[in-house]
Amino acid sequence: MRDAFHEDLDRISDDLVEMTTMVGKAIERATKALLEADLGTAESVIAADDDIDELRRQVDDRCVDLLARQQPVATDLRMVVTAMHMASDIERMGDLARHIAKVARRRYPEGAIPEDVAKIIAQMEQVGADLVTKTGQAIAGKDVHAAVQIAKDDDQLDELHRTIFNTLLGGDWSYGTEAAVNLTLISRYYERFGDHAVAVANRIVYLVTGSYGTEDEGLVTKA
Amino acid sequence: MRDAFHEDLDRISDDLVEMTTMVGKAIERATKALLEADLGTAESVIAADDDIDELRRQVDDRCVDLLARQQPVATDLRMVVTAMHMASDIERMGDLARHIAKVARRRYPEGAIPEDVAKIIAQMEQVGADLVTKTGQAIAGKDVHAAVQIAKDDDQLDELHRTIFNTLLGGDWSYGTEAAVNLTLISRYYERFGDHAVAVANRIVYLVTGSYGTEDEGLVTKA
């Protein structure tokens, strides 16, 4: 039997995992909205972000309540504080998906992304969605190996981000300034999405091992 | 006489104010580096960001330590938790100043910002620096009026951000794709800088009044 404190903490952990599920749907649907110029999907991603924000507030309240009632110390205290930080990062991932959906909405009925780069954006979404799934798994299992893998996978997102910038700056850009501005922002949103997953991963590593990961593991990254 | 808990909390508050001072210097110098293509200043902003990150870690550690030792409840507990959230936002403002300095460094010896828009960027810096000064004052004095003013001032930053985008998308942009990409990112960095100041302001309002500000006060903003 788990004691009351750990039961409450499990509940918080479940909510964080639920947040990652919601964010995973958000990034997938925001990308669909973007690549297919799908206004309805864009609108629904934007609206659904309120639910992620609300769940984050609940996690925060529950953490503060747990601190007040149980007055944990040492690792237990660190787990509660970490949960609040993770909730903040995951909520921000939802915001970034919403930003992507907003670009889709702003450009509708036209598309925001030229055909040539749509494939790279689709790859960014795949890596991003995979990252957030692994983030949920890492939280659920307090899984350091999964956390380290998140940091490695994020390198792919950074690489795709660089590919986008090389495309923009290579001298062959022929889609005009507005498309360049939109693509700059969009690519930045996916890149930041990955950074927040790494931040969560980093916190899991710290929680479990008591020290931050090494630079070799890609866990000491600066956004 | 303050009791031990409130003495510790004062110390944390002092550190947060010190962080805002460091961030104020960072945004001012990053903008100088950007507008004057000043590599030395860019490098020093980038290097100095480590000090902001380090102070943030100290604030976090001190908060966790305070929670463990004093086991505060109610408003006292909320103040400690809020301090951790504020440290996160202020640290992120430092990151954004560093990002601006990095664009300056990447473009050196050329400038990243066309003459025509330099004036708008200089205005963004002025508003941003003023925002972070007021953020420090609002933290030091738990000052709700200052906090509300921060949200109002941030509207100016959003307006300047829109002006930049109108310039980029107005059809007269003649500086090429690379300048457009850089300006898009730079303008976004200043805008986000302001968002984090508003987030801190929002937390002060909540801490003091027990409820979030209203939309009329500009305190319920979504980044």
Side-chain angles (χ1 to χ4, degrees), chain B residues 4 11 33 51 68 84 95 104 119 123 145 162 164 171 211 221:
Chain B
R11 172 73 194 277
D51 299 334
M84 284 192 282
D95 290 343
K119 211 162 142 180
Q123 285 177 279
H145 292 290
R162 272 191 294 273
I164 294 277
S211 67
T221 55

Side-chain angles (χ1 to χ4, degrees), chain A residues 35 113-124 126 160:
Chain A
L35 297 181
I113 302 294
E115 203 72 36
D116 287 3
V117 283
K119 213 162 140 182
I120 309 175
I121 296 294
Q123 284 177 279
M124 291 185 103
Q126 277 166 28
L160 291 164

Side-chain angles (χ1 to χ4, degrees), chain A residues 53 71 92 99 192 222-223, chain B residues 53 71 99 192 222-223:
Chain A
D53 294 351
Q71 314 221 317
R92 185 70 199 147
H99 286 329
R192 289 293 302 153
K222 301 212 51 161
Chain B
D53 294 352
Q71 314 221 317
H99 286 329
R192 289 293 301 152
K222 300 211 51 157

Side-chain angles (χ1 to χ4, degrees), chain A residues 162-173 180 184, chain B residues 106-107 176-182 185:
Chain A
R162 273 190 295 273
T163 305
I164 294 277
F165 274 74
N166 291 338
T167 305
L168 281 163
L169 305 181
D172 294 331
W173 184 257
T184 300
Chain B
R106 194 164 62 229
R107 290 292 299 156
T177 306
E178 182 163 1
V181 167
N182 284 329
L185 289 173

Side-chain angles (χ1 to χ4, degrees), chain A residues 5 8-9 12 56-72 77 79-85 87, chain B residues 67 71-85 203 206-207 212:
Chain A
F5 172 80
D8 284 352
L9 198 60
I12 290 168
R56 185 261 169 109
R57 268 188 295 274
Q58 282 178 30
V59 168
D60 267 4
D61 287 348
R62 219 170 271 146
C63 287
V64 170
D65 184 57
L66 190 53
L67 290 173
R69 278 189 298 106
Q70 302 273 355
Q71 314 221 317
L77 170 57
M79 282 198 281
V80 180
V81 168
T82 298
M84 282 191 283
H85 287 303
Chain B
L67 290 173
Q71 314 221 317
V73 294
T75 303
D76 287 347
L77 169 57
R78 217 167 57 184
M79 282 198 279
V80 180
V81 169
T82 298
M84 284 192 282
H85 286 304
R203 290 196 179 273
Y206 185 70
L207 196 61
Y212 288 106

Side-chain angles (χ1 to χ4, degrees), chain A residues 20-172:
Chain A
T20 64
T21 304
M22 292 160 87
V23 164
K25 267 183 211 151
I27 193 76
E28 188 246 315
R29 304 186 72 233
T31 308
K32 173 181 153 56
L34 185 73
L35 297 181
E36 301 175 14
D38 175 345
L39 183 63
T41 300
E43 295 282 13
S44 84
V45 171
I46 294 162
D49 189 52
D50 287 346
D51 299 333
I52 300 173
D53 294 351
E54 177 55 32
L55 187 49
R56 185 261 169 109
R57 268 188 295 274
Q58 282 178 30
V59 168
D60 267 4
D61 287 348
R62 219 170 271 146
C63 287
V64 170
D65 184 57
L66 190 53
L67 290 173
R69 278 189 298 106
Q70 302 273 355
Q71 314 221 317
V73 294
T75 303
D76 286 348
L77 170 57
R78 218 168 56 183
M79 282 198 281
V80 180
V81 168
T82 298
M84 282 191 283
H85 287 303
M86 294 197 294
S88 168
D89 277 301
I90 301 167
E91 191 237 296
R92 185 70 199 147
M93 294 168 86
D95 290 343
L96 291 160
R98 177 168 48 86
H99 286 329
I100 292 167
K102 279 191 171 179
V103 175
R105 182 172 72 178
R106 196 164 58 229
R107 290 291 300 157
Y108 179 83
E110 290 179 64
I113 302 294
E115 203 72 36
D116 287 3
V117 283
K119 213 162 140 182
I120 309 175
I121 296 294
Q123 284 177 279
M124 291 185 103
E125 187 275 323
Q126 277 166 28
V127 178
D130 187 50
L131 273 175
V132 74
T133 302
K134 282 187 179 133
T135 301
Q137 290 164 351
I139 292 170
K142 289 188 194 56
D143 184 339
V144 172
H145 292 290
V148 170
Q149 192 58 48
I150 286 167
K152 281 196 209 304
D153 290 357
D154 181 55
D155 290 345
Q156 295 174 45
L157 209 43
D158 291 342
E159 184 59 36
L160 291 164
H161 185 54
R162 273 190 295 273
T163 305
I164 294 277
F165 274 74
N166 291 338
T167 305
L168 281 163
L169 305 181
D172 294 331

